[in-house]
Every structure is written in structure tokens, then in C-alpha cells.
Amino acid sequence: MPICPPSSESSPAPGLGGRALIFHGLALGAAAAAAAAAAYLYRRPGGFRGRAVGIIPARFASSRFEGKPLAPILGKPMIQRTWERVMLASSLDHVGSERCCEALQKLNKHYDIVVNIQGDEPLIEPEIIDGVVMALQRAPDAVFSTAVTALKPEDASDTNRVKCVLDNQGYAIYFSRGLIPFNKSGKVNPQFPYLLHLGIAGFDSKFLKIYPELPPTPLQLEEDLEQLKVLENGYRMKVIKVDHDAHGVDAPEDVEKIEALMHARNIQ
């Protein structure tokens, strides 16, 4: 999920801002203590994160589907269909487009949470958006929130379907394009509740300003998953489980499937 391009300005130390933790070196006398370097680590935003904005990044160029945001779905461009669904969410104070960081910089008002909603999800449930916002509000030690749902057996080997594993507290441990966990038999276990990552992400707005300056990480580059950069840099990510039949538009043939579902659900 593209967030924003790296800035050309000088990079701040990861984690400046918010409630900072200061770690001093061992004091070897007054002079040494005064000269000890302090490492600032952004770990826990201060105050309740109340105001949220939804951003729908739309990318016209696509290797699999050129002009995808403007593809007509029952007479309306797909990006408009997604926008109409997002507007039904009760937790958002504003909805915009462009990449998250760029859009946040252009907005005149302050927002505590920025929700990145994929423009190719014209059937996204507004309740999922509200859930992602609420998850970040209720987890002050997290800087990122997202959602997962049950993985279908036929999607186990699909590298376009990103899988996720969580800890007992609902925080992300890892994301992968491969099946995780992967058992020693090498086969899908029909009894195991594998999780599929959905294309939605909530960011603490202070962290979003830091995120582009974080260096790329090995796992992020190997899996080609930006959320791994969050985890590899030591930040926490809260995840909610939802009952959602993922219906993203990845290729032109998916449009017909979406229209059939909309007819079945009486969505005009």
C-alpha cells in the first residue's frame, strides 16, 4: 500500500515528537554525563486520538489494470464507488485522496489518525473503517492499525493475498505473501484459522510524518510489504478481526464480479 515517497529533506532521528523516552549513557563524572547522547524513540503518542481523516490513494498507472480508478462500475467510476462507501463511516471527520503524507500536509486542520483506504475496494464496509479507527484509539502503544479476515483455502498460495499472524493481544507479529504459519507437512491445515490481511491501514498522524524517513528494511524489501517496515523498526501494530469477503479489483475481469455482487446486494 503506497503511503508517500521519501522526503528529500534531511532525515530526523526516528521517533522525534510525541512522548519521547530518553536513555542516557552511564555517567562517568559530571562532564561525561553532560556529554552523553540521548536517543529519542517514538513509542507512545500522548493524549486521546480523536480526529480521523480518510485518504483514498488513487493510482492511474497499473501494470495489471491501466486506469483502474476510473473503471466504470454500474455507471460510476470505481474511485467514486469507494468514496461513497467510505463516506458512510461514522468515525471520519474528513475524506480526501492522494497519498497519505501528501494529503495530510495539504489539509489545514489537525487530525490524530489517518486512515489509508484502497481505492480498489468499492465494497469496503464502513464498519471496518470505524473499527480500524477505534482500534488505534484504544491502543495508545500502537502507531498503526489494520484489519484481517478469514483466509479462503483457495487463496493460500496466492501471493497477492497477504497473510498475517497475531499475538494473543491482537498485535501483528508478521505479514507474508506466503502461507503463515507454514507447518512441517507443507500442506494447508483445514483446521487452522489462517488470516488474510485487508487493504486498510490507520496511522497515528505523528508517526506518519516519521514513517517516510525510516530506512527500508530487509523483510519489507524481500516481501514487498510496506507494513513490515513498521514492525522491523520496532513499532506496534493493532489488528482487528472482521467477517469480510474481500472483493478488491485487481484486474479488468474483477469488475464484472463486483457488479454481480452489487446486484445481489441491491447496491445502486
Side-chain angles (χ1 to χ4, degrees), residues 41-57:
L41 300 176
Y42 182 109
R43 283 296 178 269
R44 188 167 182 152
F48 179 73
R49 293 175 281 206
R51 292 180 56 81
V53 58
I55 305 296
I56 310 172

Side-chain angles (χ1 to χ4, degrees), residues 96-263:
S97 60
E98 300 181 279
R99 291 183 173 184
C100 281
C101 287
E102 296 169 355
L104 186 62
Q105 292 168 0
K106 292 179 181 180
L107 295 173
N108 294 324
K109 295 182 180 180
H110 169 75
Y111 294 96
D112 304 299
I113 296 174
V114 181
V115 185
N116 184 85
I117 303 134
Q118 296 301 298
D120 58 4
E121 286 277 353
L123 295 181
I124 183 72
E125 283 98 341
E127 292 81 9
I128 294 179
I129 300 170
D130 292 336
V132 166
V133 171
M134 188 177 298
L136 201 52
Q137 290 173 333
R138 293 181 174 178
D141 57 343
V143 298
F144 186 112
S145 62
T146 188
V148 295
T149 192
L151 178 71
K152 296 178 181 179
E154 60 266 28
D155 292 333
S157 61
D158 188 344
T159 57
N160 290 315
R161 298 294 193 184
V162 177
K163 294 79 175 177
C164 177
V165 287
L166 312 177
D167 67 14
N168 291 334
Q169 303 301 315
Y171 290 88
I173 297 175
Y174 194 66
F175 295 86
S176 179
R177 294 184 180 278
L179 183 65
I180 52 173
F182 192 77
N183 61 55
K184 64 181 181 181
S185 74
K187 299 178 181 179
V188 176
N189 179 0
Q191 305 303 318
F192 191 87
Y194 299 102
L195 297 175
L196 170 69
H197 181 226
L198 302 179
I200 182 171
F203 290 87
D204 176 86
S205 61
K206 298 187 187 74
F207 174 73
L208 188 57
K209 296 175 183 178
I210 296 168
Y211 178 85
E213 307 300 341
L214 295 176
T217 55
L219 295 175
Q220 171 206 355
L221 296 175
E222 182 65 20
E223 295 263 16
D224 191 21
L225 296 174
E226 291 197 22
Q227 59 267 41
L228 288 178
K229 183 166 77 166
V230 179
L231 297 180
E232 283 187 89
N233 277 283
Y235 297 98
R236 303 200 78 188
M237 185 182 303
K238 189 67 174 177
V239 183
I240 62 170
K241 295 180 180 180
V242 299
D243 183 11
H244 174 69
D245 194 4
H247 296 294
V249 178
D250 297 318
E253 54 268 24
D254 293 330
V255 171
E256 186 175 342
K257 299 176 184 177
I258 292 291
E259 290 181 332
L261 284 168
M262 292 178 68
H263 281 304

